Amino acid sequence: MKKLFYLICILLLLFSCSVENHNNGVPEKCFDLSNEKDRIYIEDKGNFWELYKIENLKKCSVYVSENIVNFNFYFSKDVNVTSIKNTQTFFSHVITKTSKKYPSAYEDIDKFIKNDTIVKLRIFVNNRILLYTSFDFKINEFDYYENIDIDIDRTIGNVDVENFVKDLKSINKNIENVKIFKALKGSVVCVVIDTKSKIDKIQEAEICKYVESKIAPEFEKLSKDLYGINMDALGVYLEIRFGNIKIFEGTYFNGDKKRWANIDWYNFDFFNLGNEI
């Protein structure tokens, strides 16, 4: 009996470790834990990836489990942002039936979408989840998550981010690495900083000051030069880490009213001025 007890404990420990390694900081909501035998798979009747110019797609699967319709797309590590965005466009066309380019895409899904249906999109890169979107028809609400730790080419044109990196490292010698890139969400710029050791509140304030006085205005100007209004940098998300520990995070509102806030930037509507807090 004791041997059985110890065996169960070991198995539970191994399972918990495997789940932790699998998630790697990604919220549990992003993963599908449904039983394979309970899934109803749906096959597409055409080559949507060619029509939507989705490249480096290794495989995709669409299936229904209870009241949830799942779209899973798996890309190689060489995928570009354009293919990711084209996948999001394809997904939106399927669930809204607005595609003039490919109206028959997954046409059998329609019979599964009802008033209480939840539709989920997961995009994986090199078997790690990059993006998760969920839409609940019952409450008419989206839920979004983006894994900013996955390196894909999110180069920002016409902005020399290397100058920002040099400035930040000169401000604080404790800064080891700086990444500045556009989030896939579109209206957010991300600044992710890794430090050699923990920093204090004064050093955090110095970094925040540089972000709001130098980085945010530059991206706002770039967007206004392109579109006449600020569309691409309404929020600047700053994350400071030491090792694998997040020691600071905050979002700078870069619209008409500028200030720092602690919000869920994934699901915040930066275009709705009434949402500003």
Side-chain angles (χ1 to χ4, degrees):
M1 192 70 179
K2 286 185 177 179
K3 287 184 178 179
L4 179 61
F5 173 76
Y6 288 133
L7 178 60
I8 292 173
C9 290
I10 291 172
L11 290 174
L12 287 174
L13 179 62
L14 290 173
F15 175 76
S16 63
C17 289
S18 65
V19 170
E20 183 179 352
N21 290 335
H22 177 62
N23 289 2
N24 197 25
V26 177
E28 187 176 337
K29 66 180 181 181
C30 299
F31 298 95
D32 177 30
L33 303 178
S34 65
N35 197 316
E36 178 72 27
K37 66 181 180 63
D38 296 329
R39 299 175 182 176
I40 301 172
Y41 282 87
I42 303 169
E43 298 296 329
D44 180 45
K45 295 178 171 61
N47 298 330
F48 68 88
W49 54 89
E50 294 178 356
L51 293 168
Y52 279 84
K53 297 182 179 179
I54 299 173
E55 301 176 349
N56 299 106
L57 180 65
K58 294 165 64 177
K59 66 176 181 177
C60 64
S61 62
V62 179
Y63 57 89
V64 181
S65 178
E66 296 181 346
N67 68 322
I68 301 175
V69 180
N70 299 274
F71 287 76
N72 294 340
F73 291 81
Y74 298 84
F75 289 91
S76 68
K77 63 181 180 180
D78 300 320
V79 66
N80 55 43
V81 171
T82 300
S83 287
I84 299 297
K85 290 188 176 296
N86 289 347
T87 303
Q88 291 175 287
T89 299
F90 163 74
F91 174 72
S92 67
H93 284 175
V94 171
I95 64 174
T96 59
K97 307 177 198 175
T98 56
S99 174
K100 295 180 180 178
K101 181 186 295 186
Y102 195 43
S104 62
Y106 288 108
E107 57 188 17
D108 291 337
I109 287 177
D110 185 47
K111 64 184 179 183
F112 293 102
I113 296 181
K114 307 184 185 307
N115 292 335
D116 64 342
T117 299
I118 300 173
V119 184
K120 297 186 176 185
L121 167 68
R122 301 177 187 88
I123 295 178
F124 297 83
V125 173
N126 205 22
N127 293 322
R128 294 176 61 199
I129 194 158
L130 169 70
L131 183 149
Y132 164 87
T133 301
S134 173
F135 180 71
D136 190 327
F137 281 87
K138 187 174 183 178
I139 59 176
N140 194 35
E141 186 173 281
F142 278 97
D143 188 17
Y144 180 81
Y145 170 79
E146 179 179 332
N147 190 345
I148 62 174
D149 287 333
I150 293 183
D151 289 325
I152 58 174
D153 185 10
R154 310 189 204 203
T155 305
I156 306 170
N158 301 323
V159 175
D160 187 2
V161 297
E162 287 304 315
N163 284 336
F164 294 142
V165 173
K166 290 177 182 177
D167 286 348
L168 283 165
K169 287 185 175 181
S170 66
I171 290 172
N172 192 319
K173 302 300 182 183
N174 203 23
I175 292 177
E176 184 173 31
N177 186 49
V178 180
K179 291 192 293 185
I180 303 172
F181 54 90
K182 284 285 278 102
L184 294 171
K185 182 171 181 176
S187 55
V188 177
V189 174
C190 295
V191 181
V192 180
I193 296 175
D194 291 294
T195 63
K196 300 173 186 176
S197 61
K198 289 185 178 180
I199 62 174
D200 57 35
K201 296 298 181 183
I202 295 176
Q203 292 171 314
E204 286 178 5
E206 290 174 343
I207 294 172
C208 289
K209 186 66 177 177
Y210 183 83
V211 169
E212 67 182 72
S213 63
K214 299 295 183 180
I215 297 179
E218 182 66 25
F219 283 104
E220 179 181 13
K221 179 180 181 302
L222 175 63
S223 186
K224 286 182 175 180
D225 288 345
L226 287 172
Y227 310 112
I229 58 173
N230 181 12
M231 294 176 58
D232 288 340
L234 289 170
V236 181
Y237 172 70
L238 171 62
E239 181 174 307
I240 304 175
R241 304 181 296 199
F242 168 53
N244 293 323
I245 301 173
K246 191 185 299 181
I247 57 178
F248 175 87
E249 67 174 336
T251 303
Y252 182 68
F253 287 133
N254 199 30
D256 294 333
K257 299 177 181 178
K258 302 182 187 298
R259 59 194 176 279
W260 287 92
N262 186 16
I263 60 167
D264 173 17
W265 68 268
Y266 302 117
N267 290 294
F268 188 84
D269 184 4
F270 289 93
F271 292 98
N272 187 347
L273 296 180
N275 266 347
E276 288 201 13
I277 57 176

